[in-house]
Amino acid sequence: MAPIPFQLAGPRPLVGLLDLPDDIPDDTAPVPVVVLCCGFKGFAEWGFFPPLAALLAERGLAAVRFHYGDTGMQIGDAVVTDLEAFRRQTISGELADVQTLLDALPQLAPGRLDTSRVALYGHSRGGAVALLAAARLTDAGGPGGSALRALVTWSSIAHFDRLSPEEVRDWRETGTWTAVNTRTGQRLPIGLDLLHDIEAHREEFDCSAAAARRTAPWLIVHGDGDETVPIADAEALAAAAAPPAELLRIEGADHAFGAKTPFAGPNPLLIAALNATQTFLLRWLRA
């Protein structure tokens, strides 16, 4: 089945794609759902996200991938088309987007999604966002928290302070930090909203504390050749994590497990990550 595009209205409109199993008729029992969170400069159609979503659908799970409200892209875009939206990005905004999406699951495919069996997945910064969202659901208790059956992160950061003191000083003085997309060469400005958000919510955004609070079973996947986020981040998260949690080191894997955009097909490192992920999710979502 082709991915189904969707749009959610609101102060931060969200767009995304829903991948459903194609061999399950509409009148059967609803299927578990996995919400996929992209990383910094990532988007719903980047690299391994489409094949990951397709794999989950083949295994009988629904996969929801989406653009944060500050991604600055629409479905089908290859580059950021709204630089002002990208400039306004915050971690708080992305966490709010995840919650909005979780709340909207029943309306994405009425009767098809089992919202009592939900998992979160995140890559890179999206891994930290998914982790914080999982901890929030645990803190809230009740149906939302108990519905989260599993958490998977790939190449996740363990903290949001990724720049040197000199870079932060320049960011504060100029009002802009510019990230360069190595794939497109596009220069992407980020305003002070992100810096102020991180500084104002250090305790709330403490990934180690969130790792200790969350209760959903957690698979941490990281390549020991990651040039963007060192595997030490994964080791720190695993050390802080309350059980059940497990760390999978993939020898020789880089930040994206060899995947690029446009996707050129699987490779052994990506296959290892995909296989471990589907096995873990099926274990906990079908329980």
Side-chain angles (χ1 to χ4, degrees):
M1 180 182 296
I4 302 167
F6 65 84
Q7 183 167 359
L8 300 177
R12 288 170 59 91
L14 303 180
V15 297
L17 296 165
L18 170 64
D19 291 75
L20 287 170
D22 60 5
D23 58 350
I24 299 178
D26 289 345
D27 57 355
T28 62
V31 297
V33 57
V34 185
V35 175
L36 309 179
C37 302
C38 299
F40 177 57
K41 297 184 291 185
F43 52 100
E45 296 164 290
W46 184 91
F48 53 64
F49 274 82
L52 170 59
L55 174 65
L56 296 178
E58 288 172 5
R59 298 298 182 264
L61 308 176
V64 180
R65 43 200 168 106
F66 67 104
H67 293 347
Y68 299 116
D70 50 31
T71 300
M73 301 176 70
Q74 297 296 318
I75 297 300
D77 287 345
V79 298
V80 176
T81 53
D82 186 345
L83 292 175
E84 281 306 309
F86 193 90
R87 181 183 182 88
R88 294 190 300 268
Q89 65 182 264
T90 62
I91 304 303
S92 292
E94 293 178 2
L95 282 167
D97 291 343
V98 173
Q99 187 61 56
T100 294
L101 191 59
L102 291 171
D103 292 341
L105 287 179
Q107 73 188 63
L108 294 186
R112 296 298 308 278
L113 305 182
D114 184 350
T115 55
S116 70
R117 292 184 291 167
V118 176
L120 285 173
Y121 162 95
H123 174 245
S124 193
R125 192 171 90 179
V129 170
L131 169 60
L132 294 177
R136 284 186 171 189
L137 290 171
T138 299
D139 295 342
S146 59
L148 187 66
R149 298 288 190 89
L151 170 67
V152 178
T153 57
W154 287 11
S155 310
S156 179
I157 62 174
H159 56 89
F160 292 97
D161 294 308
R162 314 303 297 183
L163 301 181
S164 69
E166 293 75 21
E167 289 173 309
V168 171
R169 184 194 62 224
D170 291 344
W171 186 3
R172 201 183 308 277
E173 290 177 353
T174 64
T176 302
W177 169 49
T178 301
V180 178
N181 187 318
T182 56
R183 174 177 61 90
T184 65
Q186 189 176 25
R187 295 177 63 83
L188 302 170
I190 301 161
L192 288 172
D193 289 349
L194 177 59
L195 178 60
H196 293 162
D197 188 50
I198 292 171
E199 292 177 336
H201 299 93
R202 288 199 182 279
E203 183 175 348
E204 183 182 350
F205 296 165
D206 185 329
C207 292
S208 293
R213 294 200 317 277
R214 52 124 280 286
T215 57
W218 183 14
L219 174 64
I220 305 166
V221 182
H222 215 107
D224 65 8
D226 192 333
E227 74 293 347
T228 304
V229 179
I231 196 168
D233 279 47
E235 293 167 343
L237 291 174
E246 55 189 89
L247 169 60
L248 172 63
R249 297 176 177 85
I250 298 185
E251 184 176 356
D254 63 12
H255 191 59
F257 304 91
K260 298 183 182 301
T261 292
F263 187 64
N267 65 76
L269 301 175
L270 179 60
I271 289 171
L274 290 170
N275 283 342
T277 297
Q278 66 164 332
T279 299
F280 184 84
L281 289 173
L282 289 172
R283 173 187 174 191
W284 292 104
L285 289 177
R286 288 185 171 174

